[in-house]
Amino acid sequence: MKRIVFLLLFCICATTMLRGAAPANLIGNLSGRTTISLNGTWRIIVDPYENGLGSHYFENRKPKDKSDRVEYDFDTAWTLEVPGDWNSQRPDLLFYEGPVWYKRSFSYHKRPNTRVFVNFGAANYQARVFLNGTKIGEHEGGFTPFQFEVTGGLAEGENFLIVEVNNTRRADGVPGAVTDWWNYGGLTGDAALVELPETFIENYFIQLAKGSPEQIAGWVQLNGGKEAREVTLEIPEAGIKQAIATDAAGRGEFHFPAKMQLWSPDKPKLYRVTLSSRGDSVSDDVGFRTVETRGTQILLNGKPIFLRGISLHEEAPLRSGRAVSEEDDRILLGWARELGCNFVRLAHYPHNEAMIRLADRLGFLVWSEIPLWQEIAWDNPATLENAEGQMRDMIARDQNRAAIVFWSLSNETRPGAARQEFLKTLGAYTRQLDSTRLITSAMNTAEKTGPQGRSLNDPLGQYLDVLGINEYIGWYHDRPEDADGTRWTFAYEKPIIFSEFGGDARFGNHGDAETRWTEEYQASLFQHQINMLRKIPALAGLSPWVLMDFRSPQRPLMGIQDYFNRKGLVSTRGQKKQAFYVLQGFYREAAAEKK
């Protein structure tokens, strides 16, 4: 009875803390801070019935004597590497969904006038975090970072962290209960302690002012201390040194003229920017560019640009599992570069920070989105709060990356009053957080307007700057050649990105162009799509589906899919299918026309 009461109370507390348990403002640019890595080998206990709460796994108990009963022991438990998912590290956990408890011991020696935070780059999907047996917080959302201050809870010398990670799918979650990608569970982002002074620069936003290529604007936020302070902003290469006064809440805004070399895919120029205040300093590499729309065009630095893109999941190349290293990211973006891309759609959730920073350095424009995928509990206020929190944390992490030009609200959601209101609210919230970038969504509710006509008139379009369209002529309906004669109309005069199209083919499976699942069928489908796209005046870009095959529980066809979505232009082993070269040829032609 006592155990039942305990579990009920724990669940009530957990539900209360879950919403907004992470700090309202993330510490930005951890790569520019003093950190102590907690990556590496962690002990784990798989807990399908969630016994760990009642059995106090978080206390890391040891038997008091030889007759004491303790039914768990982290010291003899399995191990997993962090960052990483459990599904690909242990074959017996490939399909597992539920709680797993992680433990890591570490030594720490306290430093005077120093605050310490624990940071997790990502944990899918819910995480409860305990330090030395005491709960320090919870987080919901599988792809965004979260931090908790642990200054007062750290012991001098030996300490231990225990994290319960639960990737159980929920109808009221973000994403919801069904996805078309693998539900990789675990601590999939970097884990670290972050050391900071008592008053520190928490985060900052520095970009070109909206609509002004010769004005820099933004803000800086201090954490700690109650008196107003001054922050100095320096960009030595540009001869810039500005003093920024902060208010009693630690916030300071700035706006000043500047002549910068603009960032672009052809010349991804980054400047070293340093912010310093009494006792703290942080540096970052920042690019400066403008992005806006004019009619049906997307303008980068005031000039029209055609987005030669590809969609990709955060799926590790040449092996299975979540992509967790810069090496993984370099391979994926290397294939995109070989394809001829200047643009990547990072679907369907925020990818790791290293990927965004690499895109910044290599010159890829980026579409970044939160996992509002198809069915969501639109009427649930907590789901909206969850979505806003994930959007907030994605922007807080990546807001200074010039590569990101689109914040995407959703993917393939069906029109309806509750959905419209939800996404209208989320869009307004996103603009409030960052007005310098464009808002988009991938829609898929085009209507037939005759034998060869299709129209996109989703009412969500009125809240967007750029319209994304997912369509699968020749795969989920009709034949590939039907795309040739298809004529598109649009309810809104805005730029159009065909954000998805494609079809499955297993590498090495050959036949004629009429036979599904073959490379020839996929290549034919791409060629017919290109024929259609050439005739769309409002076309501003495309990001076909998808760069590389990826795991999906919805794809069980043995011998062909084997629980992989095979729409990749590249196999998981790096083998390029025929359609890769079809799209590559189109992109080479498009790039030549630009010149």
Side-chain angles (χ1 to χ4, degrees):
M1 182 65 184
K2 288 182 179 179
R3 185 171 184 270
I4 294 172
V5 171
F6 170 81
L7 287 173
L8 287 172
L9 289 173
F10 199 104
C11 290
I12 290 169
C13 293
T15 302
T16 302
M17 292 187 63
L18 206 53
R19 310 301 179 185
N25 298 300
L26 284 173
I27 301 168
N29 184 23
L30 292 187
S31 62
R33 317 288 181 147
T34 299
T35 60
I36 301 169
S37 176
L38 297 175
N39 289 347
T41 302
W42 290 55
R43 294 283 181 175
I44 65 112
I45 297 175
V46 180
D47 184 20
Y49 285 6
E50 201 158 20
N51 293 319
L53 294 177
S55 297
H56 292 226
Y57 288 2
F58 48 88
E59 293 181 354
N60 190 33
R61 289 180 56 204
K62 300 297 179 184
K64 298 173 186 176
D65 53 47
K66 63 183 181 181
S67 65
D68 191 17
R69 179 180 60 85
V70 178
E71 295 188 86
Y72 68 92
D73 184 1
F74 279 104
D75 293 339
T76 59
W78 293 345
T79 61
L80 289 175
E81 294 301 304
V82 172
D85 60 90
W86 64 61
N87 314 78
S88 63
Q89 293 190 58
R90 293 192 60 90
D92 47 352
L93 296 180
L94 176 61
F95 287 93
Y96 179 73
E97 295 182 324
V100 171
W101 293 78
Y102 285 73
K103 175 190 173 273
R104 171 68 187 262
S105 297
F106 62 95
S107 294
Y108 185 78
H109 297 288
K110 295 184 178 182
R111 299 170 56 195
N113 307 314
T114 300
R115 296 167 66 184
V116 185
F117 293 76
V118 62
N119 175 81
F120 295 96
N124 189 32
Y125 167 75
Q126 293 174 273
R128 297 186 177 109
V129 184
F130 303 83
L131 174 66
N132 298 329
T134 299
K135 186 175 180 180
I136 58 174
E138 301 198 12
H139 181 261
E140 179 174 0
F143 308 97
T144 50
F146 55 99
Q147 301 146 357
F148 302 108
E149 185 164 9
V150 295
T151 308
L154 284 168
E156 177 64 25
E158 294 306 307
N159 294 264
F160 65 90
L161 272 167
I162 291 180
V163 185
E164 183 201 21
V165 183
N166 189 338
N167 71 334
T168 301
R169 292 168 291 116
R170 297 203 333 255
D172 64 343
V174 179
V178 178
T179 66
D180 191 15
W181 65 87
W182 208 259
N183 185 26
Y184 289 117
L187 294 174
T188 57
D190 292 324
L193 296 178
V194 186
E195 293 183 324
L196 295 161
E198 291 178 329
T199 299
F200 62 90
I201 297 167
E202 182 178 71
N203 211 345
Y204 50 90
F205 179 79
I206 175 169
Q207 290 285 287
L208 291 179
K210 185 175 177 63
S212 179
E214 297 185 348
Q215 297 283 326
I216 287 177
W219 51 263
V220 60
Q221 179 67 53
L222 299 179
N223 183 305
K226 297 182 179 179
E227 76 281 4
R229 291 197 179 195
E230 185 175 274
V231 176
T232 301
L233 187 158
E234 296 180 85
I235 312 177
E237 188 178 351
I240 291 172
K241 185 174 183 178
Q242 290 284 324
I244 305 162
T246 66
D247 58 23
R251 186 178 178 86
E253 298 185 359
F254 52 86
H255 193 291
F256 55 84
K259 184 68 175 177
M260 313 299 288
Q261 180 181 330
L262 300 183
W263 183 99
S264 71
D266 295 331
K267 295 181 180 179
K269 172 65 178 174
L270 300 177
Y271 288 88
R272 175 49 60 107
V273 176
T274 299
L275 291 160
S276 55
S277 184
R278 187 167 71 247
D280 191 29
S281 179
V282 61
S283 295
D284 202 353
D285 294 322
V286 178
F288 297 91
R289 54 96 194 96
T290 63
V291 60
E292 56 193 326
T293 64
R294 181 177 62 199
T296 59
Q297 293 179 321
I298 295 172
L299 306 182
L300 183 72
N301 300 326
K303 298 179 181 178
I305 185 169
F306 183 75
L307 303 182
R308 308 185 307 272
I310 193 71
S311 295
L312 62 148
H313 266 294
E314 195 177 41
E315 185 93 3
L318 311 182
R319 60 178 174 84
S320 183
R322 179 74 67 207
V324 296
S325 70
E326 186 170 324
E327 180 182 359
D328 292 335
D329 301 333
R330 283 191 176 276
I331 293 171
L332 292 170
L333 291 184
W335 289 338
R337 178 69 79 206
E338 185 179 351
L339 189 58
C341 296
N342 60 7
F343 166 58
V344 288
R345 179 188 177 208
L346 302 183
H348 284 299
Y349 38 75
H351 289 215
N352 68 84
E353 184 176 2
M355 171 63 91
I356 310 299
R357 286 184 173 271
L358 184 59
D360 231 21
R361 296 196 299 271
L362 296 181
F364 284 95
L365 297 164
V366 171
W367 164 318
S368 189
E369 63 190 55
I370 62 171
L372 282 176
W373 188 87
Q374 293 192 2
E375 294 305 310
I376 294 292
W378 303 115
D379 290 315
N380 188 338
T383 302
L384 175 59
E385 185 179 348
N386 184 345
E388 289 179 337
Q390 293 192 44
M391 181 67 76
R392 177 197 67 216
D393 291 345
M394 177 174 70
I395 292 175
R397 190 192 71 179
D398 298 329
Q399 60 197 359
N400 293 304
R401 306 282 72 83
I404 296 181
V405 290
F406 304 122
W407 300 125
S408 178
L409 305 181
S410 61
N411 179 77
E412 295 185 355
T413 58
R414 289 186 295 185
R419 172 263 210 171
Q420 264 85 268
E421 187 60 30
F422 186 111
L423 293 179
K424 175 184 176 182
T425 302
L426 181 61
Y429 179 72
T430 303
R431 292 186 196 282
Q432 178 185 337
L433 294 172
D434 179 10
S435 64
T436 69
R437 290 176 172 87
L438 304 176
I439 305 296
T440 190
S441 276
M443 299 170 282
N444 68 332
T445 52
E447 299 175 356
K448 280 194 171 185
T449 57
Q452 294 184 306
R454 292 184 181 273
S455 176
L456 181 72
N457 56 9
D458 190 324
L460 174 60
Q462 64 189 298
Y463 308 120
L464 307 176
D465 300 309
V466 175
L467 310 180
I469 304 173
N470 296 353
E471 59 81 19
Y472 284 91
I473 296 174
W475 189 252
Y476 292 122
H477 55 84
D478 302 320
R479 299 170 301 169
E481 57 267 30
D482 292 331
D484 293 339
T486 299
R487 298 293 182 268
W488 284 88
T489 57
F490 308 97
Y492 307 97
E493 188 178 354
K494 297 181 178 183
I496 305 297
I497 294 177
F498 274 68
S499 40
E500 289 185 28
F501 64 81
D504 287 63
R506 186 175 184 122
F507 175 81
N509 188 29
H510 292 292
D512 59 43
E514 299 294 320
T515 303
R516 280 188 186 261
W517 314 110
T518 64
E519 288 192 45
E520 287 77 10
Y521 187 100
Q522 186 189 46
S524 172
L525 187 155
F526 265 73
Q527 187 57 66
H528 288 297
Q529 284 280 324
I530 290 169
N531 295 343
M532 177 187 74
L533 295 172
R534 291 180 189 276
K535 304 170 187 175
I536 301 175
L539 184 69
L542 56 151
S543 55
W545 196 255
V546 59
L547 177 64
M548 187 188 77
D549 295 345
F550 61 94
R551 284 194 182 276
S552 172
Q554 295 199 43
R555 312 292 171 166
L557 182 61
M558 301 308 293
I560 297 292
Q561 294 171 316
D562 300 317
Y563 293 104
F564 279 85
N565 186 311
R566 298 291 185 188
K567 293 184 181 65
L569 302 184
V570 181
S571 77
T572 55
R573 296 182 179 181
Q575 301 150 312
K576 298 177 181 66
K577 305 174 191 178
Q578 292 180 16
F580 181 98
Y581 300 103
V582 174
L583 186 61
Q584 183 188 64
F586 175 63
Y587 281 167
R588 286 177 175 173
E589 180 183 335
E593 288 176 358
K594 171 190 169 184
K595 297 176 182 178

